[in-house]
Amino acid sequence: MPAPWRRPDRAAVEQGKKIHVYADETRPFLQGSRLTAWELMKDGIPTTVISDNMAGAMMKQGKIGAIVVGADRIAANGDVANKIGTYTVAVLAKEHNIPFYVAAPISTVDLECPDGSKIPIEQRNGKEVTHIAGKQMVPDGVGVENPAFDVTPAKYVAAIITERGIAKAPYAESLRQLAALEEVH
């Protein structure tokens, strides 16, 4: 029977590991700055917020040893839909030989969705990008793309961590096995 679910950062601390988390700000709503950083600090985990476009430079400087992201949906083949910018971080992690992990509840896995190309991507209101604190920052008439999510191909994912265990490639097999396990109580 798999061990009870522990968020990977919390589990590392419980195991006595010294970690420091660099949390992307996560634009346009700044969930990383406002929520992730708050949760980490509340748990006593040292945290530094970085702008979304700093991730590659931090990796190049050797400040990042592993990447852990969440997921909004995971396809049967291990492709992962998460907040926009996740794909970019995964590609940068691969370039810098840094493992890229996904931590998500098993309910996020959709075995009926064969791959990431079948995951619909929500387009959000352009004002989320053009306005900050109600003030327009972009000239009138400029086009805006504002997808809420992107899809990271499974080839960039080192492992998918769930409350039922850890899935590794080939994901079509390992995710199906985890999904078939009974719920941990």
Side-chain angles (χ1 to χ4, degrees), residues 5 7-9 21-24 26 36 55 59 64 66-74 78-91 93 99-105 108 150-153 156-162:
W5 171 250
R7 213 174 66 197
D9 52 1
V21 175
Y22 289 91
D24 283 345
T26 319
T36 304
M59 291 180 210
I64 310 295
I67 308 289
V68 180
V69 301
D72 288 87
R73 192 166 178 194
I74 301 170
D79 290 351
V80 177
N82 194 44
K83 302 294 177 270
I84 189 72
T86 304
Y87 168 71
T88 305
V89 171
V91 171
F100 181 90
Y101 300 105
V102 175
T108 307
D150 59 23
V151 175
T152 300
Y156 294 110
V157 178
I160 298 171
I161 304 162
T162 76

Side-chain angles (χ1 to χ4, degrees), residues 31-96:
Q31 299 100 313
S33 310
R34 295 181 304 104
L35 303 174
T36 304
W38 179 82
E39 285 182 3
L40 291 163
M41 292 303 294
K42 187 175 179 199
D43 288 343
I45 298 172
T47 304
T48 300
V49 173
I50 62 173
S51 65
D52 289 340
N53 55 0
M54 286 177 61
M58 300 298 283
M59 291 180 210
K60 186 176 180 184
Q61 292 171 27
K63 293 184 176 182
I64 310 295
I67 308 289
V68 180
V69 301
D72 288 87
R73 192 166 178 194
I74 301 170
N77 73 337
D79 290 351
V80 177
N82 194 44
K83 302 294 177 270
I84 189 72
T86 304
Y87 168 71
T88 305
V89 171
V91 171
L92 288 165
K94 178 88 166 176
E95 174 65 22
H96 292 91

